[in-house]
Each structure stands twice: as C-alpha cells, then as structure tokens.
Amino acid sequence: MTVKECYEEINGDYEDVFGRFRKDERIKKFALKFLADGSYDSLCKNLEEAEYDEAFRAAHTLKGVSQNLGFTGLHTASDKLTELLRNHPEDYVPSMLDEIKAEYEKTFAAIRKLQAE
C-alpha cells in the first residue's frame, strides 16, 4: 500500500499533508508514529472513569495529531467530543465515543497496512 492509497482508504487529506511534508517517506514516518500514540487509549480510560479533565486533554491531543496528519474522519470525530468535554462534560454519554472508535480503528488498520509495505 502506498501512502496515498492509505489516505484514500481513510478518506484522509493526502494533498494537504503532502503539501506540508513534501515527501511520502516523511508522511509515512509520522503516520507510523501514530501507532504508538496513547491518546485514544487515554481517552477511553478517562471517559470510563469519568475523569473528564483528563479525557478532554486526550481528546484534544487526538484531535490535533489527526488534524496535523490529515486523518480527516478521526479529526472531525474527535473535534466534536473535544468541544463537548471543554464546555459541557456533564452531557457526555458513552455512545459519543462510537464514532471516534470507528474512525480510530479504520485509521489504525490502514496505517498497519502501510507499515507492512
């Protein structure tokens, strides 16, 4: 799988990322680092424990990383939860994590395929 194919699979913004990183090798390097990022796990753990300040930090980090790497679906999903946790954490319901989970799993799986190349 090429870097561009990976981005197509996740409906990512390859052109924007390429415009900033200028090389597929550089994009791949940072995309692979995403596999070790603990923001998603931290988000899930802190939401489960109702630690909303920490969950906000994790969601905000996930949002920023996904935006910088052009992971559009994950960025959009994490942005919604970030803003909810920033302004109204008492309104959080567990099903709100479903969209992030789906986008995270799709993104993670595509990057694993990229890693195999």
Side-chain angles (χ1 to χ4, degrees):
M1 168 179 282
T2 67
V3 172
K4 188 170 185 176
E5 290 169 339
C6 176
Y7 274 77
E8 288 170 355
E9 188 165 311
I10 63 170
N11 297 315
D13 194 344
Y14 172 79
E15 298 302 325
D16 178 62
V17 173
F18 189 83
R20 287 183 284 117
F21 286 57
R22 307 304 290 164
K23 293 182 180 182
D24 278 354
E25 296 81 21
R26 196 171 295 142
I27 297 169
K28 183 176 179 178
K29 173 185 171 182
F30 286 99
L32 293 178
K33 286 181 181 275
F34 179 77
L35 297 176
D37 181 80
S39 300
Y40 175 75
D41 293 334
S42 177
L43 174 63
C44 293
K45 176 184 173 283
N46 285 296
L47 286 174
E48 185 176 304
E49 296 172 359
E51 295 289 340
Y52 297 122
D53 287 342
E54 290 302 315
F56 166 76
R57 284 192 242 324
H60 193 270
T61 300
L62 186 61
K63 175 183 119 171
V65 168
S66 59
Q67 181 180 28
N68 287 333
L69 291 173
F71 303 155
T72 308
L74 185 57
H75 170 256
T76 301
S78 57
D79 180 52
K80 291 176 193 173
L81 185 57
T82 298
E83 294 312 310
L84 175 88
L85 293 172
R86 178 191 320 267
N87 299 309
H88 303 286
E90 68 280 359
D91 292 342
Y92 170 74
V93 292
S95 63
M96 291 177 168
L97 190 57
D98 293 346
E99 184 180 359
I100 292 175
K101 180 180 180 184
E103 289 295 334
Y104 179 83
E105 289 175 353
K106 180 171 67 169
T107 302
F108 195 90
I111 296 170
R112 294 285 291 171
K113 288 181 195 175
L114 179 64
Q115 185 180 39
E117 293 297 314

